[in-house]
Amino acid sequence: MNQPNILGINRTQDGTISIFEGGNHVMSIHKERLTKRKHHWGRLGDIKLYKEHIPAVSRDYDMVVECWSADTEYEKKEQYHEELRTILNLKESARIIEISHHLAHLYSAYPPSGFETCAAMIIDSVGSPVEHIKYEYPDNDKTGFFEVASYYYCDKGEIKCIGKQVHDRNPDEPQGLGNFYYKLTECLFKGEGNEGKVMGLAAYGNPDKIDLPDLIVKEGAVFIPEEWREAFKSTDYFYTTEVKTFQEKADFAAKGQEVFENALIEIAAWLSEVTGTKKIVYAGGCALNCVANSKVLEQGYDLFIPPAPHDGGTSVGCAIYGAVECFKIKNEFKWRFDYLGPDVDTKEITRVIENYPELSIYQPENIIKECANHLYWGKILCVFQSNSEFGPRALGNRSIIADTRYAVNKFWINAFIKGREWFRPIAPFVLEEDVSEYFNFDRRTPFMLFTAFVKDTYKDKFPTIEHVDHSARIQTVSREDNAFIYDVIRNFKEKTGVGIIANTSFNGKNETMVETLTDAVNCFMNHPIHYLVVPPYIISKKTPVSNPLQLSSYRV
């Protein structure tokens, strides 16, 4: 029997689409990967953009499920729907429906988790206005408010909302855990999407140097004390003046990170108690804080976080909702891997390279051994494989990789390739079977959503990936996860005894991750990277790039 084709659309920040055929995932992609504008919001014209670039979009659809947030674009909804009817191949019986923002987050986390029974927490800075929420929840008598946190009990497909924090969006009186971290980030960095910088900066600070209280937590609702609100009013003071030193800013970040973690642990404890389960799914922008995630994990919870817990992941939730709730189809998608992007014929790289006379391409007899050798000799490689990662983090198909043992590699990547702050850590790939050898961690973590501390035996042995507090945002790799990356690490380990390599996203400063082969070649051309690896091919530059090891002989 033919399965219905369902298109899920995230209409807000980090615009995305996801295509499902019945309960099976087909393709997902971020708008930013096509437009090259980071965190690009969903807007009119998106459907034409997707259809022009991605063949899979040109199918006949039985349903479109979209989710909005607090964006005023909702007032143009009829224009958006007219665009759908004009651009897409909608069947005569096709329906266009919408679900609220936190519900879309929930369906991106619960059905793909594999849990039959669990609690769910959805925490971000702002979701849908309460007028758009179409299900029952406690204290649902407020109008003019917006969801900032939602809590659910999920059992055998049945979902019950057991709590929801809403806020009127008064900027002078921010409330909610997501709003807290958003305001904290504003104090230290300009622009959107800088929460990860605060997390990295916090490791250099001492929270005890800042006299500010814990957040107030009442049954999942988070309230920001007056002392913190006063501190947030000093945004320019912390960011633009020379009065505050790096250390003072790091101390402020550390205090904010600490109270964020404490509040999240308290929320998880309350949620577990009222639902009677230690299995928790967690989504929303706050779920990208891998340091806090690890603190929750340490409390003994079985925690599932999808690799795209931010707004981008809601398109997956929309499509799953359409399949499960509207067509009554069993969800078959378990989010075990995150290579959800469009298919790419990587053999086309031979044709693309013809337009770049400065480059050479060859097919080595043993590409695994060749790549491991290049890493051993201190080279920086970028790796491109067919289906791009859907979440915000590179997991091996759009990655820059290096040897972790050279301290200079972190400097080279941050300064000359990524063009970012010196204090930003670089993540490690680690063989799944070796994770407990190097780190105080003993489980599969393929999505780079948790941190772990390096064991004492190995402290300061891997300076490229080891943060100042001896932590690392680890990603385990098995052959099932990513066969190419796994085999490269295995071969590298045979040479060095080390089952770890460094990994960061394949892009330059202020750029989005590369999506197409042409993107990959251009990024490779414009940055001091030694080799572009598109299995089974390796691309090199006819004018050699300097070796980072020429800058330093430091090797642990």
Side-chain angles (χ1 to χ4, degrees):
M1 185 176 71
N2 292 332
Q3 295 290 297
N5 289 316
I6 305 165
L7 180 67
I9 307 177
N10 167 38
R11 295 291 196 185
T12 185
Q13 188 181 37
D14 295 299
T16 53
I17 60 169
S18 295
I19 300 172
F20 270 63
E21 188 174 310
N24 295 290
H25 178 269
V26 176
M27 188 282 303
S28 294
I29 191 170
H30 280 70
K31 178 182 177 181
E32 68 168 28
R33 306 290 174 83
L34 303 178
T35 64
K36 309 308 174 190
R37 289 176 55 184
K38 297 184 80 170
H39 306 293
H40 206 169
W41 288 58
R43 288 294 182 261
L44 285 167
D46 287 359
I47 304 304
K48 181 179 180 181
L49 172 78
Y50 291 126
K51 191 172 182 181
E52 286 177 346
H53 286 84
I54 304 167
V57 177
S58 297
R59 56 179 58 208
D60 298 332
Y61 291 99
D62 298 88
M63 176 171 284
V64 177
V65 185
E66 56 190 359
C67 98
W68 307 72
S69 184
D71 193 352
T72 56
E73 287 289 298
Y74 186 80
E75 298 169 7
K76 303 176 185 175
K77 186 174 71 169
E78 289 309 313
Q79 291 176 252
Y80 281 88
H81 289 183
E82 181 59 28
E83 178 182 77
L84 292 173
R85 289 187 285 265
T86 302
I87 304 297
L88 289 180
N89 303 325
L90 296 181
K91 294 182 180 178
E92 188 175 347
S93 60
R95 288 189 290 158
I96 302 171
I97 67 170
E98 65 184 81
I99 60 175
S100 52
H101 189 69
H102 282 192
L103 193 64
H105 273 307
L106 174 65
Y107 274 81
S108 77
Y110 169 46
S113 71
F115 292 158
E116 187 175 70
T117 301
C118 66
M121 53 188 188
I122 310 300
I123 308 174
D124 57 16
S125 58
V126 65
S128 292
V130 296
E131 292 83 359
H132 295 177
I133 300 170
K134 300 173 183 177
Y135 55 85
E136 290 297 320
Y137 62 93
D139 302 320
N140 61 348
D141 57 348
K142 295 180 179 179
T143 58
F145 283 69
F146 298 78
E147 55 189 357
V148 295
S150 300
Y151 305 101
Y152 306 87
Y153 177 65
C154 310
D155 182 38
K156 300 180 180 65
E158 297 296 321
I159 294 170
K160 179 182 179 181
C161 183
I162 59 174
K164 189 179 288 284
Q165 182 177 10
V166 297
H167 183 243
D168 62 4
R169 302 195 74 194
N170 181 347
D172 295 324
E173 296 184 7
Q175 303 295 355
L177 194 57
N179 277 318
F180 170 78
Y181 214 83
Y182 175 80
K183 289 291 186 180
L184 178 72
T185 302
E186 274 194 326
C187 287
L188 296 165
F189 299 100
K190 288 184 176 179
E192 61 183 356
N194 289 314
E195 286 77 6
K197 295 182 183 180
V198 177
M199 190 171 58
L201 178 62
Y204 289 86
N206 180 355
D208 295 336
K209 295 289 185 67
I210 303 295
D211 186 20
L212 287 169
D214 271 346
L215 304 177
I216 301 165
V217 183
K218 295 181 179 179
E219 297 185 339
V222 174
F223 302 96
I224 303 172
E226 180 64 27
E227 296 92 330
W228 275 105
R229 294 205 298 269
E230 287 300 315
F232 291 155
K233 292 177 182 178
S234 303
T235 300
D236 291 340
Y237 184 65
F238 275 98
Y239 181 79
T240 62
T241 74
E242 298 300 321
V243 175
K244 294 296 179 183
T245 65
F246 171 84
Q247 189 58 56
E248 288 170 320
K249 293 177 181 179
D251 292 341
F252 185 69
K255 187 64 178 182
Q257 178 69 26
E258 179 184 72
V259 302
F260 178 91
E261 293 167 5
N262 291 343
L264 188 63
I265 290 170
E266 193 170 344
I267 290 169
W270 162 79
L271 183 61
S272 179
E273 182 178 357
V274 297
T275 59
T277 178
K278 295 185 80 70
K279 293 182 182 293
I280 299 176
V281 298
Y282 177 29
C286 289
L288 286 171
N289 193 310
C290 57
V291 178
N293 296 344
S294 299
K295 296 295 177 67
V296 174
L297 200 65
E298 289 169 5
Q299 307 305 308
Y301 300 105
D302 191 352
L303 188 62
F304 174 80
I305 304 172
H310 62 329
D311 286 356
T314 59
S315 64
V316 170
C318 285
I320 291 176
Y321 180 92
V324 172
E325 301 299 340
C326 300
F327 288 103
K328 306 302 178 184
I329 295 171
K330 180 183 177 183
N331 172 61
E332 301 292 347
F333 174 62
K334 298 296 182 281
W335 214 330
R336 182 175 173 84
F337 313 105
D338 192 44
Y339 310 111
L340 309 187
D343 292 334
V344 178
D345 183 0
T346 54
K347 292 182 179 179
E348 282 291 299
I349 189 64
T350 57
R351 181 189 58 78
V352 173
I353 290 300
E354 291 175 357
N355 299 316
Y356 296 84
E358 310 94 329
L359 301 179
S360 298
I361 185 170
Y362 65 104
Q363 185 173 346
E365 182 178 343
N366 187 330
I367 190 171
I368 300 297
K369 183 177 180 179
E370 187 101 348
C371 289
N373 282 339
H374 287 317
L375 292 173
Y376 178 76
W377 291 110
K379 305 296 185 181
I380 309 294
L381 281 61
C382 49
V383 178
F384 183 103
Q385 300 188 78
S386 176
N387 304 94
S388 58
E389 298 86 341
F390 182 57
R393 290 166 181 162
L395 305 174
N397 282 10
R398 301 291 187 279
S399 287
I400 295 172
I401 60 176
D403 189 341
T404 66
R405 300 170 301 158
Y406 297 91
V408 71
N409 279 346
K410 177 180 177 181
F411 168 73
W412 184 276
I413 291 171
N414 277 343
F416 301 137
I417 300 175
K418 308 290 284 190
R420 64 188 185 184
E421 296 83 1
W422 62 269
F423 61 81
R424 300 280 295 278
I426 294 174
F429 281 126
V430 56
L431 295 173
E432 185 177 309
E433 61 267 30
D434 287 353
V435 63
S436 60
E437 165 70 19
Y438 303 110
F439 300 97
N440 292 310
F441 202 88
D442 62 358
R443 64 183 69 196
R444 178 179 183 267
T445 175
F447 302 141
M448 211 186 294
L449 287 168
F450 299 99
T451 58
F453 288 95
V454 177
K455 285 190 171 180
D456 290 345
T457 306
Y458 293 100
K459 281 182 178 177
D460 302 317
K461 299 293 185 183
F462 312 119
T464 299
I465 58 91
E466 193 172 343
H467 208 23
V468 65
D469 61 353
H470 303 294
S471 69
R473 189 174 66 189
I474 60 175
Q475 177 192 345
T476 58
V477 185
S478 67
R479 183 169 279 115
E480 186 183 11
D481 292 329
N482 192 313
F484 178 77
I485 294 294
Y486 178 84
D487 287 342
V488 168
I489 303 173
R490 281 293 300 254
N491 197 281
F492 180 78
K493 183 182 179 182
E494 290 174 8
K495 301 177 189 302
T496 64
V498 175
I500 306 175
I501 61 174
N503 167 41
T504 190
S505 58
F506 188 178
N507 59 274
K509 183 178 181 179
N510 296 325
E511 297 174 353
T512 61
M513 271 194 281
V514 302
E515 177 61 33
T516 67
L517 286 167
T518 300
D519 292 342
V521 173
N522 287 335
C523 186
F524 172 61
M525 282 287 297
N526 294 330
H527 297 90
I529 305 170
H530 297 91
Y531 297 99
L532 167 59
V533 181
V534 184
Y537 303 101
I538 295 180
I539 296 92
S540 61
K541 296 170 181 173
K542 293 179 179 177
T543 302
V545 177
S546 298
N547 193 325
L549 298 189
Q550 294 171 352
L551 301 180
S552 170
S553 60
Y554 175 42
R555 181 174 181 176
V556 179

